[in-house]
Amino acid sequence: MNTTRRIATSVAAFALGAVALAGCAGSAVGSSQADASSEAPEEIVIGALHPLSGSNAADGQQMSNAAQMAVDAVNDAGGIASLGGARLVLEAADTRGEPETGQSEATRLIQEGAAALVGSYQSGTSANIASVSERNGVPFVMDVSALDSILEQGYTYSFRIQPSASMMGTQSATYLSEISTAAGDPVQKVGYLYEQGNFGASAYEAFAAKAAELGITVDPAISYDPTSSDLSTQVQQVAAAGADVLAVSGYYNDSLAVARAVNSIAPELDAVFGVANGGFDQVQFTSDAPNGGANYLDANYRWDATNEDAVAVADAFEEKFGQPMRTSAMLTYDAVTLIAEAIETAGSADPAAIRDAIADSDYQPHVVNAGPVSFDETGQNVNASVVTMQVLDGAVRQVFPADLAQEQVVYPAPVN
């Protein structure tokens, strides 16, 4: 039985209450202590770097918990069989959402023997970790970090499972065009609001380029400060321009501010469509947004609710930690499980051997993906994909494309 199947079996058993997940302890083995020709190690350390404090601590803690859950699943399934049942050990570090802290913590974890790293939620932090990873020859698998430029540095030890910001922007424009055309009401003009950082700009630029190819006008396009609590002026500009659809690339609080402004200023829009939006597909959005966020759409990476194994993992997570599993956490779970599978394939705790096995991975993820994970020469998963979600009857549901849909998409999609 291969590592992925053993892990899936262990998680399913946990979801049924048959497996008690437990931590493990012992001496760490890093690059200086083990390679393919040495005696099999008893334990192999994976370092997890996430914002466990600060404004993104809720996601960071979920991601750290998911990393531990993945490690426990491997160990409960018998450990790394090709290394005589060697157990994985997770060392979690708090980046505090600070690039400098992420860099120093990555350095510390490598010095203390980590054979691989996973993280980190924020692209700026991941960029620094990637640099440390490359200098030290230790593989780094990014769970959540969308910025394209991270993998444009010629690195050979960094990998990304999720789609990049530009991939998400391109796919989002395609899906919006297909949804509206199928409904007999093809979108003509999109107003676009995007947070002013690198993430928002990258998603917008890719969306606009693809929209132009599809004959869709994107105007106006307005960047904004994501710390703003009132985005009424920006929404008014979109309404005044006569846009059919408002597209939004932002985080949770600013997306909520957009929703409040739309409710009072522009309820006549055909749709509000998130592009890699950090708010519209969150469970709490259905409680916090006007009208329960009804009909809001978002094209984003997502754990696949049509995948039985993914559902089992999500159910197990909620049972253990008492809260629904966010996609960010599922991406961490996939990243750690991919690393475990690479260690199994390499039959080694040597970081260089693990790196080579990661590069050749065909791991089947729990997040939406157009096939198995497949990394190109830059370390980007070329099969990374988004799915369109919509708030329907108080729940976030997958609605497009059809093969991933839980329910039929509603379009036009009035929000009040």
Side-chain angles (χ1 to χ4, degrees):
M1 184 181 294
N2 65 33
T3 302
T4 302
R5 178 52 55 194
R6 287 187 292 114
I7 292 169
T9 301
S10 179
V11 170
F14 175 88
L16 294 172
V19 176
L21 299 183
C24 53
S27 58
V29 175
S31 59
S32 63
Q33 295 169 276
D35 59 35
S37 62
S38 67
E39 183 178 349
E42 293 183 2
E43 294 178 340
I44 304 165
V45 173
I46 296 174
L49 298 119
H50 297 103
L52 305 181
S53 60
S55 60
N56 292 301
D59 275 286
Q61 189 60 62
Q62 272 221 358
M63 295 167 83
S64 186
N65 288 341
Q68 187 64 60
M69 184 173 158
V71 163
D72 290 340
V74 172
N75 292 335
D76 287 341
I80 304 300
S82 64
L83 290 173
R87 296 175 66 80
L88 299 181
V89 176
L90 186 78
E91 292 291 344
D94 183 8
T95 67
R96 300 188 293 191
E98 301 167 351
E100 296 79 9
T101 301
Q103 179 173 319
S104 62
E105 286 296 275
T107 300
R108 177 183 65 81
L109 288 172
I110 291 171
Q111 290 174 342
E112 293 178 359
L117 302 175
V118 61
S120 70
Y121 191 69
Q122 285 121 326
S123 289
T125 304
S126 289
N128 281 17
I129 295 171
S131 177
V132 171
S133 166
E134 190 70 17
R135 287 199 303 271
N136 289 275
V138 172
F140 171 43
V141 179
M142 284 175 273
D143 39 28
V144 177
S145 292
L147 190 61
D148 290 68
S149 63
I150 299 173
L151 293 179
E152 294 173 351
Q153 310 305 313
Y155 294 152
T156 58
Y157 276 82
S158 291
F159 303 88
R160 175 165 50 209
I161 296 177
Q162 72 155 91
S164 66
S166 62
M167 291 171 73
M168 290 190 282
T170 298
Q171 292 180 31
S172 295
T174 301
Y175 284 178
L176 175 59
S177 177
E178 291 176 353
I179 288 169
S180 62
T181 299
D185 189 12
V187 61
Q188 301 294 318
K189 187 174 185 180
V190 173
Y192 204 119
L193 302 183
Y194 61 97
E195 66 85 24
Q196 63 191 13
N198 290 327
F199 152 65
S202 296
Y204 156 67
E205 289 166 4
F207 181 99
K210 187 62 178 180
E213 291 180 19
L214 297 168
I216 299 170
T217 299
V218 180
D219 181 56
I222 305 167
S223 65
Y224 63 85
D225 182 347
T227 65
S228 298
S229 59
D230 184 355
L231 292 168
S232 298
T233 299
Q234 291 86 344
V235 170
Q236 181 62 58
Q237 289 178 261
V238 171
D244 306 319
V245 171
L246 169 61
V248 185
S249 292
Y251 302 107
Y252 188 80
N253 288 331
D254 48 300
S255 295
L256 191 59
V258 169
R260 290 172 178 149
V262 168
N263 187 62
S264 61
I265 296 169
E268 72 284 356
L269 288 165
D270 284 350
V272 181
F273 193 90
V275 179
N277 188 279
F280 299 162
D281 60 8
Q282 297 296 325
V283 172
Q284 63 267 38
F285 183 73
T286 64
S287 299
D288 296 344
N291 305 306
N295 290 338
Y296 273 75
L297 293 147
D298 187 27
N300 207 346
Y301 53 74
R302 165 78 166 173
W303 70 264
D304 187 0
T306 66
N307 179 319
E308 291 182 0
D309 288 341
V311 172
V313 171
D315 287 347
F317 184 95
E318 185 165 4
E319 180 179 342
K320 184 172 178 63
F321 300 109
Q323 54 186 207
M325 189 179 199
R326 301 183 184 187
T327 295
S328 56
M330 189 69 82
L331 277 160
T332 303
Y333 187 92
D334 272 336
V336 172
T337 308
L338 184 152
I339 290 170
E341 188 175 90
I343 296 171
E344 180 76 75
T345 299
S348 172
D350 174 53
I354 297 169
R355 178 263 166 215
D356 290 345
I358 290 172
D360 290 336
S361 178
D362 59 358
Y363 172 71
Q364 296 285 348
H366 297 82
V367 294
V368 170
N369 217 53
V373 168
S374 178
F375 295 114
D376 65 14
E377 66 279 1
T378 73
Q380 174 64 50
N381 172 21
V382 297
N383 286 331
S385 186
V386 302
V387 63
T388 304
M389 293 159 279
Q390 188 168 31
V391 179
L392 298 172
D393 297 324
V396 178
R397 309 292 283 173
Q398 294 174 195
V399 294
F400 191 85
D403 62 334
L404 295 170
Q406 296 170 284
E407 295 188 30
Q408 186 172 350
V409 64
V410 173
Y411 191 94
V415 297
N416 69 3

mmCIF file of all heavy atoms in Angstrom, residues 150-188:
data_model
loop_
_atom_site.group_PDB
_atom_site.id
_atom_site.type_symbol
_atom_site.label_atom_id
_atom_site.label_comp_id
_atom_site.label_asym_id
_atom_site.label_seq_id
_atom_site.Cartn_x
_atom_site.Cartn_y
_atom_site.Cartn_z
ATOM 1 N N ILE A 150 7.886 34.805 -6.675
ATOM 2 C CA ILE A 150 8.632 33.912 -5.779
ATOM 3 C C ILE A 150 9.340 32.834 -6.585
ATOM 4 O O ILE A 150 10.489 32.477 -6.290
ATOM 5 C CB ILE A 150 7.696 33.264 -4.739
ATOM 6 C CG1 ILE A 150 7.030 34.322 -3.867
ATOM 7 C CG2 ILE A 150 8.467 32.275 -3.852
ATOM 8 C CD1 ILE A 150 5.964 33.763 -2.932
ATOM 9 N N LEU A 151 8.667 32.327 -7.601
ATOM 10 C CA LEU A 151 9.231 31.232 -8.383
ATOM 11 C C LEU A 151 9.856 31.714 -9.693
ATOM 12 O O LEU A 151 10.085 30.921 -10.611
ATOM 13 C CB LEU A 151 8.150 30.189 -8.671
ATOM 14 C CG LEU A 151 7.633 29.422 -7.444
ATOM 15 C CD1 LEU A 151 6.548 28.431 -7.844
ATOM 16 C CD2 LEU A 151 8.770 28.711 -6.718
ATOM 17 N N GLU A 152 10.143 32.994 -9.749
ATOM 18 C CA GLU A 152 10.800 33.550 -10.930
ATOM 19 C C GLU A 152 12.263 33.898 -10.664
ATOM 20 O O GLU A 152 12.880 34.650 -11.409
ATOM 21 C CB GLU A 152 10.039 34.799 -11.396
ATOM 22 C CG GLU A 152 8.637 34.490 -11.913
ATOM 23 C CD GLU A 152 7.812 35.726 -12.223
ATOM 24 O OE1 GLU A 152 8.269 36.849 -11.875
ATOM 25 O OE2 GLU A 152 6.713 35.590 -12.794
ATOM 26 N N GLN A 153 12.821 33.316 -9.596
ATOM 27 C CA GLN A 153 14.200 33.624 -9.200
ATOM 28 C C GLN A 153 15.203 32.553 -9.620
ATOM 29 O O GLN A 153 16.383 32.645 -9.281
ATOM 30 C CB GLN A 153 14.263 33.793 -7.668
ATOM 31 C CG GLN A 153 13.214 34.722 -7.081
ATOM 32 C CD GLN A 153 13.238 36.097 -7.713
ATOM 33 O OE1 GLN A 153 14.307 36.694 -7.863
ATOM 34 N NE2 GLN A 153 12.068 36.590 -8.102
ATOM 35 N N GLY A 154 14.740 31.523 -10.311
ATOM 36 C CA GLY A 154 15.635 30.448 -10.708
ATOM 37 C C GLY A 154 15.908 29.447 -9.603
ATOM 38 O O GLY A 154 16.867 28.666 -9.683
ATOM 39 N N TYR A 155 15.079 29.433 -8.568
ATOM 40 C CA TYR A 155 15.255 28.501 -7.459
ATOM 41 C C TYR A 155 14.979 27.070 -7.925
ATOM 42 O O TYR A 155 14.167 26.826 -8.815
ATOM 43 C CB TYR A 155 14.312 28.836 -6.307
ATOM 44 C CG TYR A 155 14.572 30.155 -5.618
ATOM 45 C CD1 TYR A 155 13.529 30.842 -5.004
ATOM 46 C CD2 TYR A 155 15.848 30.715 -5.565
ATOM 47 C CE1 TYR A 155 13.747 32.052 -4.353
ATOM 48 C CE2 TYR A 155 16.078 31.919 -4.931
ATOM 49 C CZ TYR A 155 15.020 32.591 -4.323
ATOM 50 O OH TYR A 155 15.241 33.777 -3.687
ATOM 51 N N THR A 156 15.638 26.119 -7.272
ATOM 52 C CA THR A 156 15.419 24.702 -7.579
ATOM 53 C C THR A 156 14.893 23.924 -6.385
ATOM 54 O O THR A 156 14.578 22.736 -6.520
ATOM 55 C CB THR A 156 16.724 24.043 -8.070
ATOM 56 O OG1 THR A 156 17.736 24.186 -7.058
ATOM 57 C CG2 THR A 156 17.210 24.688 -9.359
ATOM 58 N N TYR A 157 14.782 24.573 -5.230
ATOM 59 C CA TYR A 157 14.341 23.883 -4.019
ATOM 60 C C TYR A 157 12.965 24.350 -3.536
ATOM 61 O O TYR A 157 12.514 23.907 -2.483
ATOM 62 C CB TYR A 157 15.366 24.043 -2.897
ATOM 63 C CG TYR A 157 16.481 23.024 -2.969
ATOM 64 C CD1 TYR A 157 17.571 23.210 -3.822
ATOM 65 C CD2 TYR A 157 16.457 21.867 -2.202
ATOM 66 C CE1 TYR A 157 18.588 22.279 -3.909
ATOM 67 C CE2 TYR A 157 17.471 20.922 -2.274
ATOM 68 C CZ TYR A 157 18.530 21.137 -3.125
ATOM 69 O OH TYR A 157 19.539 20.198 -3.208
ATOM 70 N N SER A 158 12.300 25.226 -4.271
ATOM 71 C CA SER A 158 10.995 25.736 -3.854
ATOM 72 C C SER A 158 9.905 25.257 -4.816
ATOM 73 O O SER A 158 10.099 25.240 -6.035
ATOM 74 C CB SER A 158 11.002 27.264 -3.802
ATOM 75 O OG SER A 158 11.823 27.720 -2.743
ATOM 76 N N PHE A 159 8.750 24.918 -4.237
ATOM 77 C CA PHE A 159 7.637 24.366 -4.993
ATOM 78 C C PHE A 159 6.331 24.968 -4.481
ATOM 79 O O PHE A 159 6.205 25.288 -3.303
ATOM 80 C CB PHE A 159 7.584 22.839 -4.836
ATOM 81 C CG PHE A 159 8.858 22.148 -5.242
ATOM 82 C CD1 PHE A 159 9.893 21.962 -4.331
ATOM 83 C CD2 PHE A 159 9.030 21.702 -6.543
ATOM 84 C CE1 PHE A 159 11.071 21.334 -4.698
ATOM 85 C CE2 PHE A 159 10.209 21.068 -6.924
ATOM 86 C CZ PHE A 159 11.235 20.888 -5.999
ATOM 87 N N ARG A 160 5.354 25.111 -5.370
ATOM 88 C CA ARG A 160 4.055 25.662 -4.984
ATOM 89 C C ARG A 160 2.946 24.751 -5.504
ATOM 90 O O ARG A 160 2.855 24.476 -6.695
ATOM 91 C CB ARG A 160 3.872 27.080 -5.545
ATOM 92 C CG ARG A 160 2.482 27.668 -5.276
ATOM 93 C CD ARG A 160 2.420 29.170 -5.497
ATOM 94 N NE ARG A 160 2.959 29.591 -6.762
ATOM 95 C CZ ARG A 160 3.535 30.781 -6.991
ATOM 96 N NH1 ARG A 160 3.620 31.668 -6.006
ATOM 97 N NH2 ARG A 160 4.011 31.097 -8.179
ATOM 98 N N ILE A 161 2.055 24.330 -4.579
ATOM 99 C CA ILE A 161 0.934 23.472 -4.949
ATOM 100 C C ILE A 161 -0.212 24.292 -5.534
ATOM 101 O O ILE A 161 -0.826 23.912 -6.531
ATOM 102 C CB ILE A 161 0.436 22.674 -3.734
ATOM 103 C CG1 ILE A 161 1.520 21.716 -3.234
ATOM 104 C CG2 ILE A 161 -0.821 21.893 -4.087
ATOM 105 C CD1 ILE A 161 1.121 20.959 -1.987
ATOM 106 N N GLN A 162 -0.543 25.410 -4.908
ATOM 107 C CA GLN A 162 -1.699 26.206 -5.327
ATOM 108 C C GLN A 162 -1.411 26.957 -6.624
ATOM 109 O O GLN A 162 -0.254 27.120 -7.021
ATOM 110 C CB GLN A 162 -2.046 27.222 -4.238
ATOM 111 C CG GLN A 162 -1.029 28.364 -4.131
ATOM 112 C CD GLN A 162 -1.607 29.637 -3.552
ATOM 113 O OE1 GLN A 162 -1.564 29.853 -2.357
ATOM 114 N NE2 GLN A 162 -2.134 30.492 -4.401
ATOM 115 N N PRO A 163 -2.449 27.431 -7.318
ATOM 116 C CA PRO A 163 -2.209 28.265 -8.498
ATOM 117 C C PRO A 163 -1.600 29.609 -8.111
ATOM 118 O O PRO A 163 -1.864 30.129 -7.018
ATOM 119 C CB PRO A 163 -3.612 28.437 -9.100
ATOM 120 C CG PRO A 163 -4.561 28.188 -7.974
ATOM 121 C CD PRO A 163 -3.893 27.196 -7.080
ATOM 122 N N SER A 164 -0.796 30.157 -8.979
ATOM 123 C CA SER A 164 -0.237 31.491 -8.759
ATOM 124 C C SER A 164 -1.331 32.535 -8.941
ATOM 125 O O SER A 164 -2.428 32.242 -9.452
ATOM 126 C CB SER A 164 0.888 31.755 -9.757
ATOM 127 O OG SER A 164 0.361 31.822 -11.079
ATOM 128 N N ALA A 165 -1.037 33.761 -8.539
ATOM 129 C CA ALA A 165 -2.008 34.849 -8.695
ATOM 130 C C ALA A 165 -2.407 35.032 -10.152
ATOM 131 O O ALA A 165 -3.587 35.226 -10.466
ATOM 132 C CB ALA A 165 -1.435 36.149 -8.128
ATOM 133 N N SER A 166 -1.442 34.951 -11.053
ATOM 134 C CA SER A 166 -1.772 35.147 -12.471
ATOM 135 C C SER A 166 -2.601 33.989 -13.013
ATOM 136 O O SER A 166 -3.511 34.194 -13.832
ATOM 137 C CB SER A 166 -0.499 35.330 -13.298
ATOM 138 O OG SER A 166 0.324 34.189 -13.241
ATOM 139 N N MET A 167 -2.316 32.773 -12.558
ATOM 140 C CA MET A 167 -3.133 31.632 -12.978
ATOM 141 C C MET A 167 -4.578 31.803 -12.509
ATOM 142 O O MET A 167 -5.528 31.538 -13.247
ATOM 143 C CB MET A 167 -2.555 30.325 -12.415
ATOM 144 C CG MET A 167 -1.227 29.909 -13.010
ATOM 145 S SD MET A 167 -0.467 28.513 -12.122
ATOM 146 C CE MET A 167 -1.517 27.154 -12.656
ATOM 147 N N MET A 168 -4.746 32.288 -11.269
ATOM 148 C CA MET A 168 -6.091 32.473 -10.733
ATOM 149 C C MET A 168 -6.832 33.580 -11.474
ATOM 150 O O MET A 168 -8.026 33.463 -11.758
ATOM 151 C CB MET A 168 -6.027 32.753 -9.236
ATOM 152 C CG MET A 168 -5.611 31.538 -8.416
ATOM 153 S SD MET A 168 -5.789 31.755 -6.629
ATOM 154 C CE MET A 168 -4.342 32.755 -6.275
ATOM 155 N N GLY A 169 -6.136 34.658 -11.808
ATOM 156 C CA GLY A 169 -6.773 35.733 -12.558
ATOM 157 C C GLY A 169 -7.224 35.281 -13.930
ATOM 158 O O GLY A 169 -8.348 35.579 -14.366
ATOM 159 N N THR A 170 -6.379 34.529 -14.617
ATOM 160 C CA THR A 170 -6.704 34.041 -15.953
ATOM 161 C C THR A 170 -7.890 33.084 -15.930
ATOM 162 O O THR A 170 -8.841 33.207 -16.724
ATOM 163 C CB THR A 170 -5.480 33.345 -16.569
ATOM 164 O OG1 THR A 170 -4.414 34.290 -16.691
ATOM 165 C CG2 THR A 170 -5.806 32.765 -17.933
ATOM 166 N N GLN A 171 -7.845 32.112 -15.013
ATOM 167 C CA GLN A 171 -8.928 31.135 -14.934
ATOM 168 C C GLN A 171 -10.238 31.790 -14.502
ATOM 169 O O GLN A 171 -11.319 31.404 -14.959
ATOM 170 C CB GLN A 171 -8.544 30.010 -13.975
ATOM 171 C CG GLN A 171 -7.408 29.141 -14.492
ATOM 172 C CD GLN A 171 -7.037 28.016 -13.529
ATOM 173 O OE1 GLN A 171 -7.868 27.504 -12.798
ATOM 174 N NE2 GLN A 171 -5.774 27.635 -13.519
ATOM 175 N N SER A 172 -10.153 32.789 -13.619
ATOM 176 C CA SER A 172 -11.364 33.472 -13.154
ATOM 177 C C SER A 172 -12.075 34.179 -14.298
ATOM 178 O O SER A 172 -13.310 34.121 -14.420
ATOM 179 C CB SER A 172 -11.009 34.482 -12.059
ATOM 180 O OG SER A 172 -10.520 33.838 -10.904
ATOM 181 N N ALA A 173 -11.332 34.878 -15.137
ATOM 182 C CA ALA A 173 -11.935 35.565 -16.284
ATOM 183 C C ALA A 173 -12.608 34.565 -17.219
ATOM 184 O O ALA A 173 -13.708 34.805 -17.734
ATOM 185 C CB ALA A 173 -10.876 36.366 -17.031
ATOM 186 N N THR A 174 -11.949 33.437 -17.435
ATOM 187 C CA THR A 174 -12.516 32.399 -18.300
ATOM 188 C C THR A 174 -13.820 31.875 -17.733
ATOM 189 O O THR A 174 -14.833 31.736 -18.455
ATOM 190 C CB THR A 174 -11.515 31.243 -18.459
ATOM 191 O OG1 THR A 174 -10.304 31.746 -19.035
ATOM 192 C CG2 THR A 174 -12.077 30.155 -19.352
ATOM 193 N N TYR A 175 -13.840 31.579 -16.440
ATOM 194 C CA TYR A 175 -15.048 31.025 -15.811
ATOM 195 C C TYR A 175 -16.195 32.035 -15.813
ATOM 196 O O TYR A 175 -17.346 31.671 -16.064
ATOM 197 C CB TYR A 175 -14.741 30.567 -14.390
ATOM 198 C CG TYR A 175 -13.972 29.272 -14.288
ATOM 199 C CD1 TYR A 175 -13.590 28.758 -13.054
ATOM 200 C CD2 TYR A 175 -13.618 28.550 -15.425
ATOM 201 C CE1 TYR A 175 -12.888 27.564 -12.942
ATOM 202 C CE2 TYR A 175 -12.903 27.361 -15.340
ATOM 203 C CZ TYR A 175 -12.547 26.875 -14.086
ATOM 204 O OH TYR A 175 -11.849 25.691 -13.994
ATOM 205 N N LEU A 176 -15.897 33.301 -15.533
ATOM 206 C CA LEU A 176 -16.957 34.311 -15.552
ATOM 207 C C LEU A 176 -17.567 34.408 -16.941
ATOM 208 O O LEU A 176 -18.798 34.482 -17.098
ATOM 209 C CB LEU A 176 -16.410 35.665 -15.116
ATOM 210 C CG LEU A 176 -17.390 36.851 -15.213
ATOM 211 C CD1 LEU A 176 -18.641 36.605 -14.371
ATOM 212 C CD2 LEU A 176 -16.692 38.149 -14.792
ATOM 213 N N SER A 177 -16.745 34.405 -17.971
ATOM 214 C CA SER A 177 -17.244 34.459 -19.341
ATOM 215 C C SER A 177 -18.114 33.245 -19.660
ATOM 216 O O SER A 177 -19.205 33.377 -20.227
ATOM 217 C CB SER A 177 -16.069 34.530 -20.324
ATOM 218 O OG SER A 177 -16.516 34.505 -21.656
ATOM 219 N N GLU A 178 -17.655 32.060 -19.270
ATOM 220 C CA GLU A 178 -18.396 30.839 -19.576
ATOM 221 C C GLU A 178 -19.724 30.779 -18.816
ATOM 222 O O GLU A 178 -20.749 30.362 -19.363
ATOM 223 C CB GLU A 178 -17.532 29.618 -19.263
ATOM 224 C CG GLU A 178 -16.347 29.466 -20.202
ATOM 225 C CD GLU A 178 -15.437 28.303 -19.829
ATOM 226 O OE1 GLU A 178 -15.655 27.691 -18.761
ATOM 227 O OE2 GLU A 178 -14.499 28.017 -20.595
ATOM 228 N N ILE A 179 -19.707 31.196 -17.542
ATOM 229 C CA ILE A 179 -20.930 31.174 -16.733
ATOM 230 C C ILE A 179 -21.971 32.119 -17.312
ATOM 231 O O ILE A 179 -23.145 31.756 -17.495
ATOM 232 C CB ILE A 179 -20.614 31.552 -15.272
ATOM 233 C CG1 ILE A 179 -19.852 30.425 -14.583
ATOM 234 C CG2 ILE A 179 -21.890 31.871 -14.497
ATOM 235 C CD1 ILE A 179 -19.262 30.818 -13.234
ATOM 236 N N SER A 180 -21.567 33.341 -17.613
ATOM 237 C CA SER A 180 -22.522 34.342 -18.103
ATOM 238 C C SER A 180 -23.026 34.004 -19.508
ATOM 239 O O SER A 180 -24.200 34.191 -19.818
ATOM 240 C CB SER A 180 -21.891 35.740 -18.080
ATOM 241 O OG SER A 180 -20.760 35.823 -18.927
ATOM 242 N N THR A 181 -22.152 33.475 -20.347
ATOM 243 C CA THR A 181 -22.562 33.100 -21.700
ATOM 244 C C THR A 181 -23.550 31.939 -21.663
ATOM 245 O O THR A 181 -24.565 31.943 -22.387
ATOM 246 C CB THR A 181 -21.332 32.723 -22.544
ATOM 247 O OG1 THR A 181 -20.458 33.857 -22.630
ATOM 248 C CG2 THR A 181 -21.743 32.290 -23.948
ATOM 249 N N ALA A 182 -23.278 30.942 -20.817
ATOM 250 C CA ALA A 182 -24.182 29.799 -20.702
ATOM 251 C C ALA A 182 -25.555 30.220 -20.192
ATOM 252 O O ALA A 182 -26.572 29.600 -20.523
ATOM 253 C CB ALA A 182 -23.581 28.746 -19.780
ATOM 254 N N ALA A 183 -25.593 31.291 -19.400
ATOM 255 C CA ALA A 183 -26.860 31.788 -18.859
ATOM 256 C C ALA A 183 -27.606 32.654 -19.866
ATOM 257 O O ALA A 183 -28.710 33.124 -19.581
ATOM 258 C CB ALA A 183 -26.597 32.582 -17.580
ATOM 259 N N GLY A 184 -27.010 32.890 -21.025
ATOM 260 C CA GLY A 184 -27.647 33.712 -22.046
ATOM 261 C C GLY A 184 -27.523 35.201 -21.787
ATOM 262 O O GLY A 184 -28.240 36.003 -22.383
ATOM 263 N N ASP A 185 -26.606 35.584 -20.915
ATOM 264 C CA ASP A 185 -26.428 36.997 -20.554
ATOM 265 C C ASP A 185 -24.939 37.296 -20.444
ATOM 266 O O ASP A 185 -24.425 37.603 -19.366
ATOM 267 C CB ASP A 185 -27.135 37.272 -19.221
ATOM 268 C CG ASP A 185 -27.186 38.756 -18.885
ATOM 269 O OD1 ASP A 185 -26.886 39.582 -19.766
ATOM 270 O OD2 ASP A 185 -27.511 39.084 -17.723
ATOM 271 N N PRO A 186 -24.215 37.180 -21.568
ATOM 272 C CA PRO A 186 -22.753 37.319 -21.505
ATOM 273 C C PRO A 186 -22.321 38.668 -20.960
ATOM 274 O O PRO A 186 -22.845 39.708 -21.340
ATOM 275 C CB PRO A 186 -22.314 37.140 -22.961
ATOM 276 C CG PRO A 186 -23.535 37.371 -23.777
ATOM 277 C CD PRO A 186 -24.689 36.955 -22.943
ATOM 278 N N VAL A 187 -21.377 38.621 -20.042
ATOM 279 C CA VAL A 187 -20.890 39.842 -19.425
ATOM 280 C C VAL A 187 -20.170 40.698 -20.467
ATOM 281 O O VAL A 187 -19.413 40.193 -21.293
ATOM 282 C CB VAL A 187 -19.959 39.523 -18.230
ATOM 283 C CG1 VAL A 187 -18.736 38.741 -18.666
ATOM 284 C CG2 VAL A 187 -19.548 40.796 -17.504
ATOM 285 N N GLN A 188 -20.431 41.998 -20.424
ATOM 286 C CA GLN A 188 -19.812 42.930 -21.360
ATOM 287 C C GLN A 188 -18.768 43.807 -20.686
ATOM 288 O O GLN A 188 -17.724 44.095 -21.265
ATOM 289 C CB GLN A 188 -20.896 43.829 -21.975
ATOM 290 C CG GLN A 188 -21.987 43.081 -22.715
ATOM 291 C CD GLN A 188 -21.476 42.378 -23.960
ATOM 292 O OE1 GLN A 188 -20.670 42.942 -24.703
ATOM 293 N NE2 GLN A 188 -21.936 41.162 -24.186
#
